Amino acid sequence: MTQNPSVGKPARSSRSILPIALIGAGLILLGVVAIILLLRPGGSAGSASQTLIYSSVVPVAVNSPAPDVQLTDLQGNPVSLADQLGHWVLVNNWATWCPPCKAEMPALQAYSDDHRDQNFLLIAIEAGEPVKQVAEYVEKNDLHITVWPDPEQKVYDAFKNISLPTSWLIDPHGQIRLTWAGAIDRETLEKYITPLLKE
């Protein structure tokens, strides 16, 4: 007697197909959203990712003394944060290999250029790379801001940093007034920092 091969096998029901169909529909929807972001005016993969990065940054108000850190600048001169008392100082801890750090640098540099006459100073402190590599990066990318190499990550440790980029706004009396983690855009810098510069 020949056994029917279908006996004992559960029939494929619409219930087993439903989860697969839902996953497929979700993937199609994600693809459509990605295409819309890429094809909108001025849109590109880079600008879409920067929009996502920037949307997550919200500076937090604090009031604590800034630690003093002594480093050596790109020319081999000793420098320290204590030497900057009397200025509003934005310390930006970044790295040459960090994509969000690179994404925010043009906004930081432009803001620094426009507010230099308001007693404002940007110090970009590179975390962990050799001095020669930092100097080459600065030259290649035409950075005309103050850059201090920190191969031993003294600033990262002193400020109890946990990610890159992270920034701290220090007032002329050496108090940290704002801090944030992640890349920031020009509009946010103007909104949160510029009013403080008028104090």
Side-chain angles (χ1 to χ4, degrees), residues 34 66-67 90 131 157 178 198:
L90 178 59
V131 175
D157 294 337
L178 293 175
K198 299 173 183 177

Side-chain angles (χ1 to χ4, degrees), residues 94-163:
W94 66 290
T96 61
W97 48 263
C98 163
C101 301
K102 296 176 185 179
E104 73 172 352
M105 197 59 75
L108 292 173
Q109 184 161 268
Y111 185 87
S112 177
D113 289 344
D114 291 345
H115 294 277
R116 198 179 309 272
D117 61 351
Q118 290 181 273
N119 202 29
F120 176 81
L121 177 62
L122 168 64
I123 302 177
I125 301 179
E126 204 284 339
E129 298 299 327
V131 175
K132 182 180 178 183
Q133 185 172 327
V134 177
E136 289 172 353
Y137 183 91
V138 168
E139 183 176 355
K140 179 181 177 182
N141 291 277
D142 192 29
L143 298 183
H144 51 269
I145 55 177
T146 301
V147 175
W148 293 352
D150 186 9
E152 296 175 6
Q153 298 188 356
K154 293 179 181 178
V155 167
Y156 195 93
D157 294 337
F159 281 83
K160 297 179 172 50
N161 198 356
I162 59 171
S163 65

Side-chain angles (χ1 to χ4, degrees), residues 49-76:
S49 65
Q50 287 182 17
T51 299
L52 293 174
I53 289 169
Y54 292 160
S55 67
S56 66
V57 173
V58 177
V60 176
V62 293
N63 187 14
S64 61
D68 183 29
V69 181
Q70 281 132 24
L71 298 171
T72 302
D73 67 15
L74 290 173
Q75 291 72 44

